[in-house]
Amino acid sequence: MSVPQGRRSSTFTRLLRHGFTDPSGAERLLDAEALSAVRSDPLLLDALGATADPDLALLGLVRLVEAQPDATARRELLDTLITAKPLRDRLLGVLGASEALADHLARHSGDWRALVTYEPSDLHPGVEEFERGLAAATDPVSLRVAYRRCLLSLAARDVCGTTDIVETAAELADLATATLRAALAMARAAAPADAALCRLAVIAMGKCGGHELNYVSDVDVIFVGEAVEGADEGKAVQAATRLASHMMRICSDTTIEGTIWPVDANLRPEGRNGPLVRTLSSHLAYYQRWAKTWEFQALLKARPVAGDPELGQAYVDAVSPLVWQVAERENFVPDVQKMRKRVVANIPVGEVERELKLGPGGLRDVEFAVQLLQLVHGRSDPSLRSGTTLVALAALADGGYVGRVDAVQLDDAYRFLRTLEHRIQLYKLRRTHLVPEDEADLRRIGRSMGMRTEPITDLNRAWKRHTSVVRRLHEKLFYRPLLDAVAQLAPGETRLSTEAARERLVALGYADPGAALRHLEALSSGVSRKAAIQRTLLPVLLGWFADSADPDAGLLNFRKVSDALGKTPWYLRLLRDEGAAAENLARVLSAGRLAPDLLMRAPEAVALLGDARGLDPRPHAQLEQEVLAAVGRAPGGEQAVVAARGVRRRELFRTCAADIIASYGTEDTPAVADQGALVDQVGGAVSDLTAATLAGTLRAVVRDGWGDTLPTRFAVIAMGRFGGHELGYGSDADVLFVHEPREGVGDQEAAEAANKVVAEMRRLLALPSADPPLLIDADLRPEGKSGPLVRTLKSYEAYYRRWSLVWESQALLRAQYVAGDEDLGRAFIELIDPLRYPAEGLGDDAVREIRRLKARMESERLPRGADPTLHTKLGRGGLSDVEWTVQLLQLQHGWAEPGLRTTRTREALAAACAAELIPAEDAAVLDEAWVLATRVRNAVMLVRGRAGDTFPSDGRELGAVGRYLGYDPGHVGDMLDDYRRTTRRARAVAEERFYQ
């Protein structure tokens, strides 16, 4: 039928005004024969315009009318649609929001009548009402049809605003309960013999257990079975298993009417590897002995829903006390937080920003935070023991465990995100938590949530705002009330009780919660601007401290730094405005003793933590230039060395901080994976710093005693780990001193001057002060401790030509000039090259001597009582094994392979591999062990503040070493096992390469 252009234009405009995006298509649908009786009724167009998607609603209506069996049924539907506003709003509301429910109505054209009734009892149905709605179902297919019919009226109440998100989620859980009961009844009817043998209870978990189910979600369950009186328990459990399996298939299998939802029993003990049904005693035995923290967290929502009610209640009563004891477990809070981080890490990168449930600022953040607080404080406060997230959140706010403003903001955000999740799922009744990217989908969702002017823009803006709130409050929710517990609150506000604050701090891993509360009070009390900024910073800092092995030390050190810099205007501003600075400081202050001790002596070094390049190691030339300039400004030798040691202290802190932050990682940057690179960076930075300090000290001593020119040329040669650029934080500086009289100066005068220089350098660098000492060790000199501290070049030449032993050639492999007269240093290196890289390599006697020395060192120098499998220097597969193996290769082949002529162990090992002197697999094993042992030594120094060659015996210190090495709390056993495994393999390679 042709339509006049004027009328078409008028209708087209009206349709656009009513929200249709395809007015031409809508016109064709309105002109369909099925709607001839109502197409001109203004009520219909207004009602369609009020839906989420008028085009979708109109299409669904046409399909429904066309599906009616005869003209009488079509007339009944259309008459009711026009005359009954409740039906009109409900039916068109559903059709405009859910393509899947429109499909159901097209297949089951009489189900629209389920939307006609509008009695008070229909507004908020419970399990009994849903059970009546499912009562006629006799098989899986009819159960699906009945389920969709119930879902139809539930969705209608939702999209029309008759129920809010909390009520809708509760109704969905009640409908799931009724469905599980109906499915179990079908399973029992199909196997009466099995039903007669056992008692079976179905325990709802997850969102179903928490009375907050989605439209489309797995229904998590746990099954408990018992034998009826007189029955064999084993046979009864088998019968219960068959019933449970059948019940799951009834709900989960795909039929001509699709599926209802998957029933997931993987939260049971041992997960999918465990038996589907257990007795109550078997459940308890597992939970008491084997269960992990997350399993108790899951049990928060356990609720009996189907089967034997007494058995179900007995299960809940039995496991509930175990749930409320879980917060007493060691590493409870870190375990829960690590689990949350793992969930986020497993989201595909391209979906993180659209992931509504699991992404940052998503639903799971709210749920985890609330559950964490419940488990900590629910032990002593039964009012918190609700399985429903928002009910629990309200109880936490009422009890002062969460700030009221925070609770309101979080409640609003959670309601918005759950509503958004429901609208996304309702469209096709598919399980998804991704916010769509298609504009038509976003427009429909936005309109369904009341955003009619700019639905896409407004929806995106609201979504981002709410996720931002959740991200901000996720950590704050846990830590902020700890400050409120020691602060002055506004009248009417409820504070966290002192006991509750202690509970929370203990759960976070604080060993002395009383002291922690005193620190918080000292930092945050008062009305000053400083206290206000601290109250903003501390909730986040507390979380970072708790992520370390020693939260108490982190908080105490933060208080000390804040006391020292409290009146400095830039300090708190830096922490507040530079996000990285606050997190970096928290990591550094809680990682051990060394870095905080260095920082306390120069708190202004905090500024390094806020500079993007502030923790990069400085080149040797820059360091030496700064040290020499500081020495030049000082009036005397002692003051000059104090200045040089001050530079050293600051640079040691820079190196420590960079190492800690790279090892721990931050929220935005993962820990550095290349452990070798970290070792090289620390070794190079500390070695360069030591060289610069010696150069400055030498300059100060010479200037103080002789003015501009020393009577003899003087050079410092680095040895050992110093020469190899492998110094650790606690290493001494192994050196040799060489001098050469200037022209016209007698040998005695030159020798006296050189010895005075050495003595004064050692004295000044060992003077007691606030800075860490730098000990000079010259025991690798000719004749050892019995020989002179300093020799002329000719004296060295004469000694090495006549008396040199093979161990001295080996020691000279690390020799490198570092300070003083550069020409003299170069001459010394040229002198010793033939000794350390002997032509044609070592003879057999020399090789045997080196092996004999190595064996003797192992037997005599390992400390009494030390575990040889854990001693990093002399133990099995430790530094000594690797270094002696590499050095033997250098002595044997350095004359022919230029790459081996290096003082650095890893470089020499790589060169030996490249020259095919050692297989790549063996080289990798040795390198891994050397890097690991070096990292352990660095970790021990960082944690304890003093050097050590083995793992600490103190549990907290051992945990801190583990955190530095990348192990989660509670996994120090894994760390020790991994160390033993790595070094055992290295020992096997060393024995093959060194002794054979």
Side-chain angles (χ1 to χ4, degrees):
M1 181 181 72
S2 63
V3 180
Q5 186 62 35
R7 179 186 164 194
R8 177 179 175 83
S9 175
S10 172
T11 305
F12 190 93
T13 304
R14 285 173 58 211
L15 291 171
L16 279 176
R17 193 166 59 245
H18 279 83
F20 287 85
T21 57
D22 182 12
S24 298
E27 278 190 286
R28 287 193 296 273
L29 289 173
L30 285 170
D31 285 341
E33 181 62 30
L35 297 186
S36 59
V38 296
R39 71 166 62 101
S40 59
D41 196 309
L43 290 176
L44 176 61
L45 204 56
D46 289 343
L48 287 168
T51 65
D53 187 339
D55 300 87
L56 185 66
L58 177 56
L59 176 60
L61 178 61
V62 171
R63 292 177 63 204
L64 175 58
V65 174
E66 290 177 343
Q68 297 306 305
D70 51 43
T72 302
R74 285 195 291 275
R75 189 162 51 251
E76 178 191 358
L77 169 59
L78 293 174
D79 287 348
T80 310
L81 182 72
I82 296 303
T83 58
K85 185 178 188 304
L87 171 70
R88 185 166 62 247
D89 292 343
R90 286 175 156 198
L91 177 59
L92 296 182
V94 168
L95 293 174
S98 177
E99 185 180 88
L101 288 177
D103 290 344
H104 172 82
L105 284 170
R107 289 196 309 273
H108 303 281
S109 59
D111 279 3
W112 64 270
R113 294 181 178 85
L115 302 178
V116 174
T117 55
Y118 201 72
E119 302 299 326
S121 62
D122 177 56
L123 296 182
H124 301 290
V127 176
E128 291 183 7
E129 287 79 12
F130 287 126
E131 284 187 299
R132 285 198 294 271
L134 302 176
T138 56
D139 56 49
V141 173
S142 59
L143 181 61
R144 281 152 177 69
V145 175
Y147 177 84
R148 290 284 193 280
R149 188 182 304 120
C150 292
L151 192 65
L152 188 65
S153 58
L154 191 157
R157 290 188 294 275
D158 178 17
V159 298
C160 292
T162 307
T163 54
D164 65 13
I165 184 62
V166 175
E167 294 167 326
T168 300
E171 287 185 18
L172 285 164
D174 286 341
L175 176 55
T177 297
T179 306
L180 290 171
R181 291 179 182 179
L184 182 57
M186 290 180 189
R188 291 172 65 88
D194 284 345
L197 270 180
C198 65
R199 300 165 61 201
L200 177 63
V202 183
I203 311 298
M205 304 287 286
K207 281 188 160 51
C208 185
H211 234 75
E212 50 189 15
L213 196 60
N214 300 331
Y215 276 105
V216 188
S217 175
D218 290 358
V219 172
D220 296 309
V221 298
I222 285 176
F223 295 106
V224 190
E226 294 287 351
V228 299
E229 189 173 351
D232 177 77
E233 183 178 284
K235 291 181 179 178
V237 170
Q238 290 175 359
T241 300
R242 289 190 291 271
L243 291 174
S245 298
H246 191 189
M247 187 206 83
M248 293 173 69
R249 291 195 302 274
I250 289 171
C251 297
S252 304
D253 285 354
T254 300
T255 70
I256 57 172
E257 285 294 336
T259 184
I260 301 177
W261 19 246
V263 178
D264 188 341
N266 287 338
L267 291 178
R268 66 186 185 270
E270 299 181 77
R272 65 185 61 194
N273 296 320
L276 182 63
V277 179
R278 288 176 183 256
T279 62
L280 178 55
S281 61
S282 177
H283 276 284
L284 287 177
Y286 173 84
Y287 287 126
Q288 289 166 347
R289 186 171 184 182
W290 304 110
K292 297 181 174 62
T293 298
W294 71 263
E295 294 179 274
F296 292 108
Q297 185 179 355
L299 286 171
L300 262 175
K301 296 183 178 291
R303 180 172 64 94
V305 291
D308 191 304
E310 291 182 2
L311 179 57
Q313 192 57 50
Y315 171 87
V316 172
D317 291 343
V319 301
S320 183
L322 303 178
V323 172
W324 303 112
Q325 293 168 9
V326 69
E328 298 170 7
R329 286 185 162 202
E330 186 179 1
N331 300 315
F332 162 68
V333 169
D335 279 351
V336 175
Q337 292 174 330
K338 292 291 181 188
M339 182 167 64
R340 173 68 189 120
K341 290 176 182 176
R342 281 197 297 272
V343 169
V344 175
N346 289 331
I347 303 172
V349 175
E351 297 180 359
V352 170
E353 293 302 319
R354 297 191 295 125
E355 175 57 66
L356 194 61
K357 177 182 178 181
L358 303 177
L363 293 162
R364 191 57 61 88
D365 274 351
V366 181
E367 293 158 359
F368 262 62
V370 169
Q371 289 165 19
L372 195 57
L373 290 169
Q374 285 182 276
L375 291 170
V376 170
H377 299 296
R379 290 177 292 171
S380 55
D381 189 346
S383 71
L384 305 180
R385 299 177 184 178
S386 170
T388 307
T389 301
L390 292 183
V391 172
L393 179 58
L396 287 165
D398 290 342
Y401 304 101
V402 172
R404 289 192 182 279
V405 173
D406 291 346
V408 169
Q409 290 182 331
L410 212 59
D411 183 280
D412 287 346
Y414 190 73
R415 287 172 184 270
F416 175 87
L417 295 173
R418 283 302 303 274
T419 302
L420 178 55
E421 179 186 43
H422 276 202
R423 296 294 190 268
I424 293 169
Q425 293 184 348
L426 182 58
Y427 178 50
K428 288 186 178 291
L429 287 182
R430 289 180 182 168
R431 183 173 183 261
T432 179
H433 306 286
L434 288 179
V435 177
E437 296 177 294
D438 182 75
E439 289 195 355
D441 290 330
L442 293 172
R443 181 176 183 274
R444 182 189 64 258
I445 294 167
R447 283 174 59 88
S448 76
M449 297 176 69
M451 304 169 189
R452 297 304 174 97
T453 307
E454 295 287 344
I456 298 175
T457 302
D458 293 346
L459 176 65
N460 281 324
R461 185 182 296 120
W463 171 38
K464 297 303 181 187
R465 183 178 73 251
H466 285 296
T467 54
S468 175
V469 166
V470 173
R471 292 175 85 156
R472 178 172 56 83
L473 291 180
H474 178 225
E475 297 291 341
K476 176 184 173 185
L477 194 71
F478 198 79
Y479 304 111
R480 170 69 67 183
L482 290 169
L483 301 188
D484 294 342
V486 296
Q488 295 294 319
L489 299 183
E493 281 289 311
T494 307
R495 75 169 70 239
L496 193 66
S497 71
T498 302
E499 187 55 38
R502 287 174 181 269
E503 284 181 350
R504 195 172 297 189
L505 286 164
V506 169
L508 282 167
Y510 286 83
D512 188 351
L517 285 173
R518 290 193 295 275
H519 297 325
L520 292 176
E521 183 174 15
L523 288 163
S524 64
S525 60
V527 295
S528 67
R529 184 170 176 273
K530 179 177 76 171
I533 296 176
Q534 288 280 24
R535 286 193 291 271
T536 301
L537 292 169
L538 278 166
V540 183
L541 289 169
L542 285 169
W544 288 325
F545 294 147
D547 190 37
S548 73
D550 195 350
D552 299 81
L555 181 56
L556 172 61
N557 289 330
F558 179 68
R559 180 179 176 184
K560 288 179 178 178
V561 172
S562 295
D563 287 346
L565 295 176
K567 295 182 179 178
T568 308
W570 56 264
Y571 167 62
L572 288 176
R573 187 169 64 244
L574 171 76
L575 299 185
R576 182 194 64 195
D577 298 340
E578 299 291 339
E583 184 177 4
N584 290 346
L585 179 62
R587 300 296 182 202
V588 167
L589 293 180
S590 55
R593 296 180 182 175
L594 179 61
D597 286 350
L598 292 169
L599 183 59
M600 298 310 168
R601 296 175 183 131
E604 65 277 1
V606 166
L608 297 174
L609 302 176
D611 184 346
R613 313 297 300 178
L615 298 180
D616 291 349
R618 298 176 66 201
H620 173 261
Q622 283 187 16
L623 288 171
E624 184 170 308
Q625 183 180 9
E626 181 181 2
V627 169
L628 292 177
V631 166
R633 291 191 295 270
E638 290 194 4
Q639 296 93 323
V641 174
V642 166
R645 288 173 67 177
V647 174
R648 178 171 178 263
R649 174 192 60 225
R650 185 198 66 217
E651 294 304 318
L652 271 178
F653 172 75
R654 187 197 306 271
T655 305
C656 289
D659 188 17
I660 290 167
I661 292 162
S663 299
Y664 272 67
T666 66
E667 290 187 352
D668 296 327
T669 306
V672 172
D674 187 349
Q675 305 290 296
L678 290 177
V679 164
D680 292 344
Q681 180 170 304
V682 171
V686 177
S687 300
D688 285 345
L689 180 54
T690 300
T693 306
L694 290 177
T697 305
L698 176 60
R699 172 75 61 85
V701 169
V702 170
R703 186 191 65 185
D704 233 27
W706 293 272
D708 292 335
T709 306
L710 189 66
T712 185
R713 296 160 62 207
F714 187 93
V716 182
I717 308 299
M719 300 287 286
R721 300 181 78 79
F722 183 18
H725 266 240
E726 297 160 359
L727 281 180
Y729 298 114
S731 302
D732 294 346
D734 290 319
V735 296
L736 297 179
F737 297 108
V738 58
H739 80 103
E740 194 67 25
R742 296 187 185 278
E743 189 174 345
V745 176
D747 289 349
Q748 184 173 351
E749 181 187 354
E752 287 178 356
N755 277 286
K756 284 181 181 178
V757 167
V758 172
E760 186 66 0
M761 284 180 69
R762 299 180 79 180
R763 182 186 76 84
L764 290 175
L765 288 171
L767 280 176
S769 78
D771 300 313
L774 174 57
L775 301 180
I776 296 177
D777 187 341
D779 290 351
L780 292 177
R781 66 187 183 270
E783 302 179 75
K785 294 180 180 179
S786 303
L789 276 171
V790 59
R791 290 173 181 262
T792 64
L793 193 62
K794 289 180 180 179
S795 176
Y796 275 109
E797 181 182 11
Y799 174 85
Y800 287 137
R801 184 177 63 250
R802 186 172 183 184
W803 303 108
S804 176
L805 300 174
V806 67
W807 73 263
E808 292 176 298
S809 295
Q810 183 181 354
L812 289 170
L813 286 168
R814 305 287 206 111
Q816 185 179 45
Y817 160 79
V818 289
D821 190 295
E822 188 172 354
D823 291 337
L824 180 59
R826 189 181 301 112
F828 179 86
I829 298 302
E830 290 173 356
L831 167 68
I832 64 171
D833 271 351
L835 278 80
R836 56 183 180 175
Y837 309 125
E840 305 301 326
L842 291 178
D844 291 343
D845 290 343
V847 172
R848 281 194 293 271
E849 176 65 10
I850 286 179
R851 289 170 176 164
R852 187 188 67 79
L853 288 171
K854 174 75 166 64
R856 178 182 170 190
M857 183 182 69
E858 285 183 21
S859 63
E860 295 181 0
R861 294 183 60 188
L862 189 70
R864 185 185 300 273
D867 184 345
T869 67
L870 294 176
H871 198 278
T872 59
K873 183 176 181 182
L874 302 174
R876 179 193 71 189
L879 297 171
S880 175
D881 274 354
V882 178
E883 290 168 359
W884 282 60
T885 301
V886 172
Q887 288 162 13
L888 181 57
L889 289 171
Q890 289 181 281
L891 289 166
Q892 290 175 312
H893 303 283
W895 66 278
E897 291 292 341
L900 290 173
R901 298 171 204 164
T902 174
T903 62
R904 307 183 185 209
T905 302
R906 297 188 72 210
E907 279 189 11
L909 181 57
C913 180
E916 300 183 349
L917 299 173
I918 183 171
E921 296 81 0
D922 288 355
V925 168
L926 294 178
D927 185 74
E928 182 184 10
W930 189 89
V931 167
L932 178 57
T934 305
R935 290 270 291 161
V936 172
R937 292 182 97 200
N938 286 344
V940 170
M941 184 65 187
L942 284 169
V943 169
R944 301 178 67 193
R946 60 182 187 275
D949 288 319
T950 190
F951 289 88
S953 56
D954 177 80
R956 181 156 280 199
E957 290 180 347
L958 189 61
V961 170
R963 291 289 288 112
Y964 172 84
L965 294 177
Y967 291 87
D968 289 340
H971 289 269
V972 294
D974 295 338
M975 171 182 68
L976 298 177
D977 288 346
D978 289 347
Y979 182 85
R980 288 189 172 104
R981 185 182 307 111
T982 300
T983 53
R984 182 172 62 247
R985 293 169 60 214
R987 176 65 171 193
V989 172
E991 287 181 341
E992 180 181 354
R993 299 292 160 190
F994 185 81
Y995 287 109
Q996 294 181 10

